Amino acid sequence: MLEKLHPDDGVLNQVPFMKDELQYNLIHLITAIDGATSLKSPDGRLLFAGSPGHNAWLWISEDVDDDRKVELMKELVSYYDGTELPGICGAPPTAELFAKIYGEANQRGHHAYMMMETYFCPKAIRPAKVKGKMIQATRQHLELVAEFLAGFSEDAYGASVIPASQLPVAEGMIMRGNLYFWTLDELPVAMANIAYRSPRHGRINAVYTPPVLRKNGYASAIVAGLCSILEEENRKPMLYADVKNPASNKVYKNVGFIESGPIAEIRFG
């Protein structure tokens, strides 16, 4: 019988989950969202977290045998009876098996949407000879942040959106105080955000440089700057990157990030 997973649940701070915590960092975030479905098996070997309208995340400990995995997934699918899941994220074998079981039970197709690599940075490497400085984004940057977010959407997801549609998101990011620019002669030339702080990690996202300003080290410089902030907090910087984007993966490796395991995103329908 699956049980409620709470944001401060002890299983989130114990082995075996902590062995895979980097890959599954979003489980910390989702369990704290109002209205989220957050579940665990009684032995803590399965954790599941999904918020309404978004892909869910599923972790199963590597020491669970195949028959037990299927049994747990079928119980999870039964729990979701009558509720549609947009998609599932997890280690490729876990996500693929769950997608098969869920799809068969609900007569829904599924397709691989994105393969991500998890990265963490043990020690940031500041790029040499990159001019400029890092500043915190403020409300005066609202329209520029929206413009950068529209560019990020195009780069990361292939989705064309108008900057005006990103204004509410931009305002929220600015107000949370974790959005930064790299500036050159007072002109913002790159952007990055500390999206979430879990007990041991800080997740970086929304790393973006306008196309005409790329290959100058600005993205590397701002990511290294955010890493320094997180290191001062005794948190390990981490992020997810689309494996199909070699340019961004190279930026992260140049700063000192190392690969820490793949995550498959599979969508239903």
Side-chain angles (χ1 to χ4, degrees), residues 39-162:
L39 303 166
K40 66 176 182 178
S41 61
D43 62 2
R45 257 54 183 182
L46 174 148
L47 302 181
F48 175 89
S51 58
H54 296 88
N55 297 331
W57 284 68
L58 172 63
W59 169 81
I60 298 181
S61 177
E62 63 180 11
D63 61 8
V64 176
D65 64 43
D66 291 344
D67 289 343
R68 179 61 175 155
K69 284 180 182 177
V70 171
E71 180 184 338
L72 287 168
M73 288 185 187
K74 286 183 176 178
E75 185 177 351
L76 184 55
V77 168
S78 296
Y79 184 94
Y80 255 82
D81 186 39
T83 303
E84 288 193 355
L85 268 177
I88 191 73
C89 295
T94 299
E96 290 160 7
L97 180 58
F98 178 83
K100 180 176 182 293
I101 294 171
Y102 178 85
E104 290 175 351
N106 292 277
Q107 291 79 52
R108 295 185 69 190
H110 61 273
H111 64 278
Y113 176 75
M114 184 183 295
M115 185 68 71
M116 298 180 287
E117 181 63 44
T118 311
Y119 286 93
F120 93 99
C121 185
K123 183 63 179 177
I125 302 169
R126 288 185 170 274
K129 301 179 181 179
V130 177
K131 295 180 180 180
K133 65 179 181 179
M134 189 171 75
I135 66 167
Q136 192 173 33
T138 67
R139 284 192 60 84
Q140 74 181 43
H141 299 116
L142 180 60
E143 292 185 357
L144 182 61
V145 173
E147 183 181 328
F148 277 25
L149 287 174
F152 177 80
S153 176
E154 179 72 37
D155 283 356
Y157 309 115
S160 296
V161 297
I162 60 172

Side-chain angles (χ1 to χ4, degrees), residues 235-250:
R235 287 184 171 89
K236 292 181 180 178
M238 61 83 57
L239 51 82
Y240 299 103
D242 184 352
V243 298
K244 291 183 178 179
N245 190 334
S248 63
N249 283 260
K250 183 179 179 181

